[in-house]
Amino acid sequence: MKTDIGIIGIGGRMGIALAGEVRAAGAALVGGFEREGTRSNETLFPDLTSLARASAVVLDFTHASAVAGNAACLAACGAAWVLGTTGLSAADEAAVTEAAKKIPIVHAANFSTGVNLLLALAQRMAEALPAASYDAEIVEMHHRQKVDAPSGTAIALGQAVAAGRGVRLEDVRESGRDGHTGARKTGAIGFAALRGGQVVGEHTLLFASATEHIALTHRAFDRGTFAAGAVRAALWIAGKPPGLYGMKDVLGLA
Ligand code: NAD
């Protein structure tokens, strides 16, 4: 039987890519929900509740301000949720965790298979390269319309490095250096965000010691890479018990 999939934000950049990928995967696209005034060539439902009731799985790549409301609505309707929106506050994360008591959710800052392998490698490298001699820096670049920085993927890379070093990212994070910042702290994990043009997503994790540099780079040049991973997650999560899952679970890397 085909999995019924609905898309919140179906008129957006990711929404359009997701609709194409749902069809390519042979799943059933039931339609989408959009903010008032946003156009789409797809079937639009008048509200999220009616979309959720018609869908086994709802894909959501919209805006952080929508997350808490979507969490409550989808949990009440019982639809599974694939959440890719970034820039979530602690309160938004708490709303997702609460909803996961009632519905299955795949939540990932980046749905690309390559990036999820990179996250696993980042943790392994951080375990092997001592923080006292290898400085970790994360540089990302995205299109000029992106509203949050550093990107969710950059933060996920930082968390992977922190996990490998047995520390909390919040305790060692250095973001957006400007002015007289003082010398770099030993063990810091640094972030720099570039914005410009129509770059879909570029991330480099650099380990720099006095004697060598090791860099891992991922470049996404088509949103199809995120859309393909999200649809893979949607097909995987349909019918799963309630809980909060990640791409590690979907890809069998957990
Ligand atoms: P976009 O602005 O092109 O699209 C967002 C869409 O969501 C728009 O059509 C907008 O009308 C709609 N929307 C916003 N608020 C809504 C609401 N309350 N209800 C219904 N629809 C609403 O943005 P985009 O480039 O498609 O990115 C969307 C989000 O996905 C961002 O947070 C981005 O960072 C994230 N993203 C995540 C991944 C990943 O792999 N996790 C990949 C790419 C983008």
Side-chain angles (χ1 to χ4, degrees), residues 44-223:
L44 288 183
F45 284 65
D47 50 56
L48 180 53
T49 301
S50 52
L51 175 68
R53 290 205 174 121
S55 311
V57 186
V58 171
L59 301 173
D60 180 356
F61 287 66
T62 54
H63 189 273
S65 60
V67 166
N70 292 353
C73 181
L74 294 174
C77 295
W81 189 17
V82 173
L83 174 62
T85 304
T86 62
L88 273 59
S89 66
D92 297 328
E93 299 277 2
V96 174
T97 305
E98 188 58 30
K101 293 176 185 163
K102 296 204 175 113
I103 54 171
I105 301 171
V106 182
H107 180 200
N110 193 309
F111 277 88
S112 122
T113 303
V115 160
N116 284 282
L117 290 169
L118 199 70
L119 290 172
L121 280 173
Q123 183 165 342
R124 290 282 302 278
M125 288 175 77
E127 281 162 8
L129 302 171
S133 23
Y134 287 84
D135 297 329
E137 291 285 313
I138 296 160
V139 184
E140 56 104 334
M141 180 161 186
H142 283 84
H143 52 88
R144 63 192 302 159
Q145 294 89 354
K146 185 162 178 64
V147 293
D148 51 312
S151 70
T153 304
I155 293 168
L157 275 167
Q159 284 166 337
V161 173
R165 291 180 170 177
V167 297
R168 292 180 341 143
L169 179 60
E170 307 86 274
D171 297 336
V172 295
R173 174 171 167 171
E174 277 187 12
S175 287
R177 299 183 188 99
D178 189 15
H180 190 83
T181 59
R184 188 184 200 286
K185 290 193 195 76
T186 300
I189 299 175
F191 291 86
L194 283 63
R195 293 288 174 266
Q198 290 306 325
V199 174
V200 170
E202 296 185 3
H203 295 87
T204 294
L205 167 61
L206 172 69
F207 289 96
S209 84
T211 53
E212 63 179 353
H213 283 187
I214 311 155
L216 292 177
T217 296
H218 181 271
R219 287 197 181 92
F221 39 85
D222 191 305
R223 288 180 179 81

Side-chain angles (χ1 to χ4, degrees), residues 7-12 32-40 44-46:
I7 302 174
I8 317 177
I10 198 164
F33 170 61
E34 256 301 349
R35 281 189 303 185
E36 214 175 308
T38 304
R39 296 213 322 245
S40 168
L44 288 183
F45 284 65

